[in-house]
Amino acid sequence: MRSREDEPRPEDFLPLHRDTFHVLVSLADRDRHGYSILLDVAERTSGALRFSPSSLYASIKRLLHQGLIEELAERPDPDEDDERRRYYRLTRMGRKVAEVEARRLERLLADARAIGLLGRRA
Amino acid sequence: MIRIAVKAFAASLYLYPASFRDEYGREMTRLLADNLRHAEGGGEAVLSWLQAIAGVLLEAPREHATLVLDDLRFAARTLRHAKWFTLTALFTLALGIGANTAIFSVVETLLLRQLPYRDPDRIVMVWVKNPEQGFDHDVTSYPKLGDWRAQSRTIEAFAGYTGTLRVLIGSGDPEQVDSTMVTADFFHVMGATPLLGSGFSLGDDDFGRPRKAVLSQRLWARRFGADPGIVGRTITMSGRLYSVIGVMPSTFRYPTRETELWEPLAIGPELRTQRGAFWMTTVARLKPGVGLAQARQEMDAISRRLAEQYTQERSLGVELVTLQDELTATTRPALFVLTAAVAFVLLIACANVAGMLVARASDRQGEIALRSALGAGRGRVIRQLLTEATVLFLVGGTLGLVLAAAGVRAIVRLAPPTLTQIRDVEVDWGVALYAISLAAFAGLVFGAAPAIQAARRDQADAIRGGSARTSGRRGAAWFRTGLLAAQVALAFVLLTGAALFLRSFVLMQAVDLGFDPRSVVAARVSLPGARYDTAAKAVAFYEALGERLRAVPGVESADGITSFPLSRLPTSARFQIEGRAEDIIMPLTYDAVTPGFFRTLRIPLLRGRFFTDADGSTSQRVTIVNQTTAKKYWPHEDPVGRRIRIGAGTDNQNPWMTIVGVVGDTKRAGLDVPVFTESYQPMRQAASGDLDVLLRVRTDAAAGIGLAIRAAVGEIDPQQPVSSIAPLPSILDEAVASRRFNTLLVSIFAVAALLLAAMGVYGLLAYMIAQQHREIGIRIALGARARAILRAVGGRALSAACVGAFAGVVVSVAVSRAIGGLLFGIAPLDAVSYAAAACVLAAVVATAGAFPLRRALNVDPAVSLRAE
């Protein structure tokens, strides 16, 4: 358990677990419930990553615990919803962490390109 | 269909910790339902269901692990903060678990460990019993062994053996070694294979065969430098040549650990036919698949047939005991007592810690309630508290293990030398596993009640604190008083046990030995039959030795007897009384003594005369009997002048002996062994190769006497060794050493129990007073007298102690009966022991309670009321 006194830096959370990162990315554009996250991730990865309920909620629990996401008290769109769904939103720290991780991956990708691993651009 | 699949998934969620399930279970189920509903085709649905189930199987243990880790971390932190609590609890547990582990390691080695022989459950001892005479563990005769061999169908093989001393010469000083003479199939029966060479083969025990020997690993290493070429070599023992044919591994130490070698038992034609000569110990190997009961039944039938055939054996039966039971028979009752004692100590220790946990839980009620309010379910709180308790017990168990290792070393050092196997005892992995399992088990059992109780409390009430306090804690107080009663009961049982043993021990020390061992030094001489082949040569040696020893300054008298210490199971001889029609078969011991023997040991003459130098080989055969013999066979007449004959045969072989005297009984077989019917013969008429030399020495001369004895023997025969030179009191002391050992251990455990119970009483009272601080303050403010305060505070503890003491008496009565066989000179319900235990317990409990009670009287109402 982390103690509250020493405020963590976003870098402390890196590198992120693959599942965790996907959840953060999924929540970056809007607040979602579990099934919505699952569908979004499946769509973005063209079905390559389909969460099982267990793996999704293990990630959600971890992220809640780390303070990177939070559960919403109110539901954003009550029309297409039933009350049993829980919605999650990125915290400010969560957004920072996702950004920092994305940057890190970007640098990694750039390095890979620079060294010719992906074929040098003309 | 989807409903069933979802339900199955929901059920699988029970693999998760409750907290996780409560939080996410519904969402997860819902997610799966969505997944299945939107699946494109049955195949995808099945796949995603399987994936979901696999996910649960994978993730659930991980969730449990994180939870346990969290709990452990939390437990470690809270325990570190509560230093005094933790230290006291750890000390208590280490004591309880350490004592148990130490005794367990002894039990494991002595009782539970399998004998290192092939199929050890098939090895049995075969004893002759005589219910009429009240003995059931006697040796047998060679003809009887032959009958058994011929008639038994359930027993694969019988082997007979008897011990002897041999003088080993060559490659070093002459040395007396313990040899066991065995029939040829001995190693087969024992299921033991030699390390080197071979065992004996059929016919090796025929009379007149070349002599062979199998060495023990110990003798081989000590005397022959573990020379691998020893097999086939010839060694000289007691003036005869033996060829070494094998070496046994160090694990084979039968019949005793001291056995140095085995040789074939070459039975002469005379012994082969003497039915009255009982001298052989018998071991046998059951046929595969034959149970002990079956073999017993058959042997009983054989025994009855033999009783009909041979009238003098009509009262004899047979007794079969497994070798394992036989070897542990003497230690088993004592170890049973010790195991019970340490179990009681552990229970008291656990009760103490459970009491402390309850107290601590009520002090932490606010914290617990807060955790509950923040969403920790009851299960979660119980789980946390249980983890804390288990951590405490496990650390305590580990410390206990360290304590046990030290304890075992102390036990081995304190143990009587006769308990040779105890030297094998050590704290090994099995013992460590035992200690840790015990700790974990105790942690779960004794941590559960406090944890459940703490979690049950009304949260709102607890957070509010203050006013409702007493009612919320009533349950905890009851629980603790119950523990106190149990502790007092257990401590009482241990104390009575210790008191009974102590009193037995003291009474035994006060037993009249019937002789005076003070200032007597003993030494053992064993003349080899090859060089001392006639009785006259042995007598000449003994007389020369006596003369030389008497000339040593400080020696008042020097005498001898064939064997001074009597075995607890003396060999029985058929003995006849002249003029009585029936032969009697019963144990009558016979020892040759020098004329001054009785005076040297100050054994009183009751009738007739002692032996004199005139009782020589050519004069009338004479004997002296002890008082027990006289009373048993001549209850109303004077035995002096009567004639008896030991053994069968003609007058030439075993002539009639005239009783010339009756001497007082001696306790030379052991203080707790009933006196046997004994007889003595003059040395000149019955010399044998063995002699215990007994010297009465002036105290100032005792120091150098060992050297003087060796010098005197060496002057007469330079090749003759002397062994076991020791003051007689210390030899006798060995006999009581095991009793002292038991008494000491039980007393140590009783003191530990007492200490722990005192801590329990102190803890409970201190806790109750702290709880009722405010109430006491008000009472004092309102003018309550000291007595009323004491009654209010101590009343419950006192009644708990009384209930406990009563229960303790009840249990003690049962326990005392069970240990009756180990007591000496007192009845199991010995009033003195019970009273002593009660007094000690009452004094200690009162003292332990006095400190907190005094604090209660000194409560300052102003302070206590302000504190609220």
Side-chain angles (χ1 to χ4, degrees), chain B residues 50-66:
Chain B
L50 285 176
Q51 189 201 12
I53 293 287
V56 171
L57 294 179
L58 216 67
E59 291 288 336
R62 204 175 290 171
E63 280 303 322
H64 276 287
T66 21

Side-chain angles (χ1 to χ4, degrees), chain B residues 137-187:
Chain B
H137 265 63
D138 204 359
V139 287
T140 191
S141 67
Y142 189 79
K144 216 166 164 52
L145 180 72
D147 292 335
W148 289 342
R149 272 183 177 152
Q151 297 185 27
S152 173
R153 298 285 165 269
T154 59
I155 289 173
E156 188 176 295
F158 287 89
Y161 63 84
T162 188
T164 189
L165 277 175
R166 294 279 179 224
V167 177
L168 184 62
I169 58 169
S171 56
D173 292 332
E175 184 187 2
Q176 286 189 1
V177 291
D178 281 326
S179 171
T180 302
M181 301 192 284
V182 301
T183 54
D185 43 7
F186 174 75
F187 291 119

Side-chain angles (χ1 to χ4, degrees), chain B residues 674-859:
Chain B
V675 176
F676 295 117
T677 42
E678 298 176 9
S679 76
Y680 302 89
Q681 286 73 42
M683 190 63 76
R684 286 181 180 178
Q685 294 180 355
S688 79
D690 294 323
L691 187 78
D692 275 340
V693 181
L694 298 164
L695 305 181
R696 187 164 284 282
V697 208
R698 279 207 317 271
T699 38
D700 55 318
I705 205 70
L707 284 176
I709 296 173
R710 286 188 197 286
V713 171
E715 279 171 30
I716 305 168
D717 182 348
Q719 287 188 9
Q720 179 58 44
V722 187
S723 62
S724 328
I725 301 178
L728 195 52
S730 78
I731 295 173
L732 296 169
D733 200 51
E734 277 181 23
V736 289
S738 67
R739 187 173 286 272
R740 178 185 303 128
F741 181 58
N742 287 340
T743 308
L744 181 70
L745 285 187
V746 171
S747 304
I748 289 175
F749 295 138
V751 169
L754 199 58
L755 181 74
L756 291 177
M759 281 167 62
V761 171
Y762 177 89
L764 174 70
L765 277 175
Y767 165 73
M768 293 204 315
I769 287 161
Q771 293 287 297
Q772 300 174 33
H773 208 255
R774 182 155 170 271
E775 192 187 328
I776 297 168
I778 295 175
R779 281 176 186 245
I780 293 178
L782 293 177
R785 282 162 186 266
R787 185 185 291 180
I789 303 275
L790 285 181
R791 197 182 310 132
V793 180
R796 173 181 278 179
L798 185 65
S799 34
C802 288
V803 170
F806 179 75
V809 172
V810 174
V811 178
S812 287
V813 169
V815 169
S816 311
R817 291 242 163 90
I819 62 172
L822 294 169
L823 303 179
F824 178 83
I826 47 171
L829 300 181
D830 179 50
V832 176
S833 304
Y834 273 69
C839 288
V840 170
L841 188 64
V844 170
V845 167
T847 316
F851 291 99
L853 284 177
R854 256 187 53 177
R855 213 179 309 144
L857 292 180
N858 292 337
V859 166

Side-chain angles (χ1 to χ4, degrees), chain A residues 3-53:
Chain A
S3 67
R4 306 225 172 271
E5 283 86 54
D6 49 332
E7 195 60 32
R9 296 172 304 143
E11 287 79 9
D12 295 346
F13 295 96
L14 303 190
L16 285 181
H17 188 270
R18 181 198 60 176
D19 293 3
T20 319
F21 185 57
H22 275 296
V23 173
L24 289 181
V25 170
S26 181
L27 290 175
D29 61 340
R30 64 187 180 93
D31 305 336
R32 292 176 190 271
H33 53 68
Y35 186 57
S36 168
I37 297 174
L38 183 138
L39 289 177
D40 181 58
V41 172
E43 195 183 334
R44 270 191 294 106
T45 59
S46 317
L49 176 60
R50 264 194 93 88
F51 280 117
S52 74

Side-chain angles (χ1 to χ4, degrees), chain B residues 98 101-102 105 399-414 426-427:
Chain B
T101 308
S105 56
L399 292 176
L401 197 57
V402 176
L403 211 62
V408 162
R409 236 169 290 139
I411 287 176
V412 170
R413 193 164 319 139
L414 288 171
E426 55 184 7
V427 174

